[in-house]
Amino acid sequence: MPTTLTVAAVQFEMREVDGFAAFARQVRGLLDRTDGAQLVVLPELFTAALFTARPGWRDEPPSALGRIADYTDDYAALFTESARTRDQVIVAGSHLVRAPDGEGVLNTAFVFFPDGSVSRHVKTHIFPAESGWGTREGDVLAPFPVGPVTVGVSVCYETEIPEVSTILARQGAELIVSPSYTFTEAGFWRVRHCAQARAIENQVYVVHCPTTGNPGAPLSPGWARASVLSPCDSGFAADGVLAEAATNTEDVITARLDLDLLHENRRTGAATTHGDRRRRSGLYRRYAEALLPRA
């Protein structure tokens, strides 16, 4: 039997909501469209929609976005239940949570498993605009299994940092999921082009899942076209796009990933970048200072 994984990317549209219950209804309606998927991915900071639940939100400064951390317990309960009842692993985008020491917030990707367990990935490279929210950076990259497949998380700007995906791939990742929230079309294409590059250079699948919607200031609009990407080689789509969402509208896409094909491509593909990047380790050591310059 071939080794496969069916993945769904939920392109969530931020809307003004009157409370968590309305937000949860929207989430459940979208999850209902992912039946058959073993792994579901939602976008970065799609929970920013909860910023609109408090009267007077339009008069708040962007720096107040961190108050969506007030909904962390409700958010965790919603997706814990959803993963269990749907028997799916859900990468519930990312959400701002308060740092343990109370200083600032952490842009955290939560992964919810059917058995009730939860793992977290704290975004390691903060986009410059995030610094105004008091967001701090994490320092751990740890893939996790979904059945026979090893999955890594690279949140938005992390996908623009090649070393993040390189580390994940060297830890065994065959699929990298990239929840994203980009405010402009240029920002979208930066992440999308980099996601495609990461798929090619590491010979992995990538799920790029952005937030869309525009509730209004102080929230930034989301520019989005979710996609499931592969290496560009024989056996895959020539352009490396396995599935793609509609532009800037709420949508769900699904793709079936063939892991046997991926591993065969690593061995015999026209471009065997996964192995070739390792074979010149002496070269990389020689130029380690250039690859990882001191701060």
Side-chain angles (χ1 to χ4, degrees):
M1 291 289 291
T3 302
T4 63
L5 182 73
T6 301
V7 300
V10 175
Q11 187 164 282
F12 183 93
E13 181 181 1
M14 293 184 296
R15 304 169 188 160
E16 187 172 3
V17 295
D18 59 8
F20 188 84
F23 172 82
R25 283 194 298 272
Q26 184 181 357
V27 167
R28 291 189 182 105
L30 288 165
L31 291 179
D32 285 344
R33 296 168 59 184
T34 68
D35 282 349
Q38 297 152 279
L39 176 67
V40 178
V41 184
L42 285 96
E44 180 186 26
L45 295 180
F46 73 106
T47 55
L50 293 166
F51 188 80
T52 69
R54 189 166 73 178
W57 66 272
R58 293 184 186 277
D59 299 322
E60 298 274 6
S63 59
L65 184 63
R67 68 176 173 79
I68 65 173
D70 294 345
Y71 294 96
T72 299
D73 289 345
D74 292 329
Y75 159 88
L78 169 64
F79 285 102
T80 297
E81 175 196 25
S82 297
R84 179 181 59 80
T85 59
R86 302 184 63 84
D87 194 28
Q88 292 173 318
V89 178
I90 302 177
V91 181
S94 77
H95 175 66
L96 294 181
V97 301
R98 293 186 180 86
D101 62 5
E103 295 295 325
V105 292
L106 304 173
N107 188 347
T108 306
F110 286 71
V111 184
F112 297 88
F113 296 87
D115 65 1
S117 60
V118 182
S119 68
R120 300 185 182 199
H121 166 71
V122 178
K123 190 175 180 180
T124 61
H125 292 72
I126 297 301
F127 187 66
E130 290 184 67
S131 60
W133 310 334
T135 312
R136 294 163 55 183
E137 293 182 334
D139 59 4
V140 176
L141 297 170
F144 55 90
V146 178
V149 182
T150 302
V151 181
V153 178
S154 174
V155 178
C156 200
Y157 191 47
E158 288 184 300
T159 305
E160 299 182 42
I161 309 296
E163 292 79 10
V164 171
S165 293
T166 296
I167 292 168
L168 291 170
R170 291 197 175 187
Q171 292 181 92
E174 300 148 308
L175 165 63
I176 295 174
V177 297
S178 180
S180 177
Y181 177 16
T182 43
F183 310 150
T184 64
E185 184 176 1
F188 162 80
W189 283 113
R190 280 197 303 271
V191 180
R192 168 64 176 267
H193 287 318
C194 288
Q196 186 70 76
R198 304 297 82 86
I200 293 168
E201 69 196 14
N202 294 295
Q203 289 182 280
V204 295
Y205 292 109
V206 178
V207 176
H208 175 210
C209 187
T211 298
T212 190
N214 186 14
L219 292 179
S220 297
W223 212 101
R225 188 186 300 155
S227 57
V228 181
L229 307 171
S230 74
C232 298
D233 209 336
S234 59
F236 303 108
D239 62 0
V241 180
L242 303 184
E244 190 170 41
T247 302
N248 292 336
T249 187
E250 194 160 84
D251 200 3
V252 176
I253 57 173
T254 303
R256 184 172 176 264
L257 309 183
D258 185 332
L259 277 299
D260 296 330
L261 174 62
L262 184 77
H263 286 282
E264 181 61 28
N265 181 251
R266 287 179 175 181
R267 289 189 295 270
T268 64
T272 51
T273 48
H274 179 265
D276 290 344
R277 297 183 75 208
R278 293 169 178 259
R279 69 181 175 86
R280 297 302 304 275
S281 58
L283 176 70
Y284 303 145
R285 282 194 295 271
R286 179 180 299 169
Y287 295 104
E289 187 70 17
L291 290 170
L292 293 172
R294 292 193 180 99

